[in-house]
């Protein structure tokens, strides 16, 4: 084999390795982006969904939010989103839904435009529970989700949501 042929083979192998590395663009859980998205998840779900502190999450929701849910349909605005939360999550009386992120299920993928970070995709699995007075928390379901966060003027906003594959915890 000639030296030129060897260099060509090495060059092709380097390109293949770079291609496969680019295909695995999920960020590490220790990265700043992952920690930022985990923080947003906490504001949305721990503060908002679980504790009904809706003011805490209001700035994180894009005005033109699109929320696709495999059981309750589509919501196409921030206003519709908050109306649904107030009625279905925070207005349930003595049976309060609680959401928990399944440990180690979260994945974060950065979105770039010409090398500049403009957003992130968050995928994960979450479990849903019911909290009742004088009872232990009990699980009612599990589902997958995908969120698209957009970074605008230094602020993150939730722009698109897919909530799907809702099923019984026994399935």
């Amino acid at each position: 084999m000639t030296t030129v042929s060897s260099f060509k083979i090495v060059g092709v192998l380097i390109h293949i390795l770079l291609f496969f590395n680019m295909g695995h663009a999920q960020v590490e859980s220790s990265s700043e982006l992952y920690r930022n998205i985990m923080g947003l998840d906490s504001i949305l779900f721990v503060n908002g969904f679980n504790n009904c502190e809706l003011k805490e999450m209001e700035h994180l929701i894009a005005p033109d939010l699109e929320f696709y849910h495999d059981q309750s349909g589509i919501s196409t605005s921030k206003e519709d989103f908050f109306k649904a939360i107030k009625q279905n999550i925070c207005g349930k009386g003595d049976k309060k839904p609680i959401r928990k992120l399944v440990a180690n299920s979260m994945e974060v993928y950065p979105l770039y435009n010409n090398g500049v970070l403009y957003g992130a995709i968050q995928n994960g699995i979450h479990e849903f529970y019911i909290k009742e007075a004088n009872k232990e928390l009990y699980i009612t379901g599990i589902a997958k989700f995908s969120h698209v966060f957009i970074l605008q003027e230094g602020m993150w906003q939730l722009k698109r949501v897919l909530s799907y594959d809702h099923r019984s915890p026994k399935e």
Side-chain angles (χ1 to χ4, degrees), residues 25-89:
Q26 176 184 340
V27 297
E28 296 292 327
S29 61
S30 61
S31 74
E32 180 180 356
L33 178 60
Y34 188 97
R35 290 191 314 270
N36 284 341
I37 298 301
M38 181 62 90
L40 296 173
D41 186 90
S42 182
I43 292 168
L44 290 170
F45 288 101
V46 175
N47 297 14
F49 190 100
N50 293 349
N51 295 323
C52 293
E53 298 167 354
L54 302 183
K55 286 283 183 200
E56 295 279 325
M57 64 188 268
E58 193 168 344
H59 70 283
L60 296 178
I61 307 301
D64 60 344
L65 172 76
E66 289 182 7
F67 190 115
Y68 300 90
H69 194 284
D70 66 351
Q71 295 182 347
S72 61
I74 184 173
S75 175
T76 58
S77 72
K78 181 177 186 171
E79 182 181 314
D80 289 346
F81 174 75
F82 277 105
K83 182 179 176 184
I85 287 182
K86 287 174 186 174
Q87 289 176 349
N88 302 318
I89 306 303

Side-chain angles (χ1 to χ4, degrees), residues 92-160:
K92 286 278 200 185
D94 61 347
K95 289 189 174 187
K96 171 68 183 87
I98 300 294
R99 180 267 196 175
K100 292 185 179 187
L101 180 64
V102 172
N104 301 314
S105 74
M106 193 172 93
E107 302 172 336
V108 176
Y109 298 87
L111 298 173
Y112 293 100
N113 183 11
N114 294 320
V116 176
L117 182 70
Y118 75 88
I121 297 170
Q122 174 196 21
N123 293 323
I125 300 171
H126 42 204
E127 296 172 329
F128 296 95
Y129 296 79
I130 293 292
K131 181 170 122 180
E132 291 184 77
N134 303 317
K135 285 189 177 180
E136 290 288 321
L137 212 60
Y138 58 92
I139 191 166
T140 58
I142 189 167
K144 296 176 184 170
F145 68 93
S146 295
H147 295 160
V148 176
F149 287 96
I150 300 298
L151 184 59
Q152 294 179 326
E153 298 175 16
M155 298 289 294
W156 287 100
Q157 285 199 316
L158 183 60
K159 186 88 164 165
R160 301 291 181 261

